[in-house]
Amino acid sequence: MSSDGSKAVAVVWNGHIWSSSDGGTSWTEDVSLGVQEWRGVAMSSSGSEMAAVGDNTGIWLTSNGGTTWSQAQTAASTGMLTSVAISSDGSKIAAVGDGGGVWTSVDSGASWTEQTTLGAGLSWTSVAMSSDGSKIAAVANAIWVSSDGGTSWVEDTSVGSTKNWKAVAMSSDGSKMAAIVGGSAGSPWTSSDGGITWQEVPYSQSWQDVGVSSDGSKWKAGHTKDNSLLPGTFATTTTTAATTSGAVGSSVGAETGLDSVTLAIIISTAAVVACLCCVGIVVLRRRSQAGDDVQQAVV
């Protein structure tokens, strides 16, 4: 949506593009492009510039809020594009695809560059961009980050290169990031230093998407187990942790601000105390039984 929240856009797989100009109160279906296998859409700060991608649809652009659309002339027009991101002014755009590579533009989509240094044949699932377009993060089996608008990229090997990354998001300045690993045992990961280092939030669910607030103070991730959201906050050194309670899964660490180390210490201490209590009860019972035996012997 636009930065003031008045304009919003959404796409439907095997459907059309929908837009709203009143904060989502009412929606208009755009059938001018026909039924397409849409997968992602992004909007500039003003809501005038938008980019939409999908399966074998290529990259479609508009600079007038969706009144008219034009297809970008790129080699990605026949691939499966899964996600797209756009800068605040709409001049910089990045799109990724499942086997379709990573594509960037610095002239509002007039020309495109394929980022071939990132490896071929990767199943890219999501891309995020800072408001000025200088910071870009893309995920496939690993997390890749660019700090110069896509000219060069760095793979974060600390998180491994075999995870099924589902989505990535970042704050307006790109300093705070959040990403999620898909699958039934996936978990959220956060970074407070622009993607240099990452910390895992130990909360396994079937994660689908993640978002970060513009100021980088909060993030939220959603999963399909019970259609609920996990809220979190960014820490300076360690990430927010969360524990579950019941089927719904209530966020404990995220709401209280306890980091994963603190929670681990609390849990470990509680376990030790519980064990000591059990030992004490056993000793007292044995002493009591011994006392009864002695008393009976004296009698």
Side-chain angles (χ1 to χ4, degrees), residues 215-252:
D215 62 0
S217 63
K218 300 177 182 178
W219 60 268
K220 278 194 176 183
H223 58 79
T224 57
K225 182 178 180 180
D226 51 29
N227 297 322
S228 63
L229 293 174
L230 171 69
T233 56
F234 288 92
T236 54
T237 55
T238 56
T239 186
T240 298
T243 59
T244 59
S245 175
V248 176
S250 61
S251 171
V252 175

Side-chain angles (χ1 to χ4, degrees), residues 163-167 178-190 199-207 210 219 221 230:
K163 290 181 174 63
N164 177 30
W165 294 100
K166 188 80 173 180
I180 53 173
V181 178
S184 58
S187 57
W189 290 68
T190 62
Q199 297 82 36
E200 182 179 10
V201 178
Y203 187 16
S204 297
Q205 289 291 348
S206 298
W207 300 105
V210 65
W219 60 268
L230 171 69

Side-chain angles (χ1 to χ4, degrees), residues 13 18 31 59 112-113 126 143 159 162 167 195 200 266 268 292:
W13 189 86
W18 290 74
V31 299
I59 305 171
W112 292 82
T113 302
S126 179
I143 300 177
V159 299
T162 59
E200 182 179 10
I266 292 174
S268 300
D292 292 342

Side-chain angles (χ1 to χ4, degrees), residues 25-296:
T25 302
S26 60
W27 291 81
T28 301
E29 184 178 12
D30 186 349
V31 299
S32 62
L33 302 181
V35 175
Q36 303 285 352
E37 296 176 348
W38 300 108
R39 287 187 177 269
V41 65
M43 177 182 284
S44 65
S45 179
S46 66
S48 299
E49 295 80 15
M50 289 184 275
V53 297
D55 297 351
N56 300 315
T57 62
I59 305 171
W60 286 82
L61 307 168
T62 179
S63 59
N64 52 24
T67 302
T68 58
W69 293 80
S70 61
Q71 188 178 26
Q73 301 302 310
T74 70
S77 59
T78 58
M80 179 189 292
L81 295 177
T82 54
S83 178
V84 63
I86 194 169
S87 61
S88 179
D89 62 1
S91 63
K92 298 177 179 64
I93 311 171
V96 299
D98 186 355
V102 177
W103 295 79
T104 57
S105 173
V106 295
D107 53 12
S108 301
S111 61
W112 292 82
T113 302
E114 184 178 11
Q115 304 300 322
T116 57
T117 59
L118 278 68
L122 296 179
S123 298
W124 298 99
T125 56
S126 179
V127 64
M129 178 181 288
S130 61
S131 63
D132 63 0
S134 62
K135 180 83 73 172
I136 308 174
V139 294
N141 61 329
I143 300 177
W144 291 75
V145 177
S146 173
S147 299
D148 52 16
T151 302
S152 60
W153 295 78
V154 176
E155 179 186 5
D156 187 349
T157 57
S158 66
V159 299
S161 58
T162 59
K163 290 181 174 63
N164 177 30
W165 294 100
K166 188 80 173 180
V168 63
M170 70 173 64
S171 59
S172 180
D173 62 1
S175 63
K176 306 293 178 59
M177 299 184 188
I180 53 173
V181 178
S184 58
S187 57
W189 290 68
T190 62
S191 173
S192 297
D193 53 14
I196 298 175
T197 59
W198 292 80
Q199 297 82 36
E200 182 179 10
V201 178
Y203 187 16
S204 297
Q205 289 291 348
S206 298
W207 300 105
Q208 297 297 316
D209 211 346
V210 65
V212 176
S213 61
S214 178
D215 62 0
S217 63
K218 300 177 182 178
W219 60 268
K220 278 194 176 183
H223 58 79
T224 57
K225 182 178 180 180
D226 51 29
N227 297 322
S228 63
L229 293 174
L230 171 69
T233 56
F234 288 92
T236 54
T237 55
T238 56
T239 186
T240 298
T243 59
T244 59
S245 175
V248 176
S250 61
S251 171
V252 175
E255 294 295 333
T256 60
L258 298 177
D259 56 64
S260 56
V261 176
T262 304
L263 285 176
I265 294 174
I266 292 174
I267 294 172
S268 300
T269 304
V272 172
V273 171
C275 291
L276 291 176
C277 288
C278 291
V279 172
I281 292 173
V282 172
V283 172
L284 288 176
R285 285 181 176 177
R286 289 184 177 178
R287 287 182 176 178
S288 177
Q289 183 64 42
D292 292 342
D293 293 343
V294 171
Q295 185 177 4
Q296 290 177 3

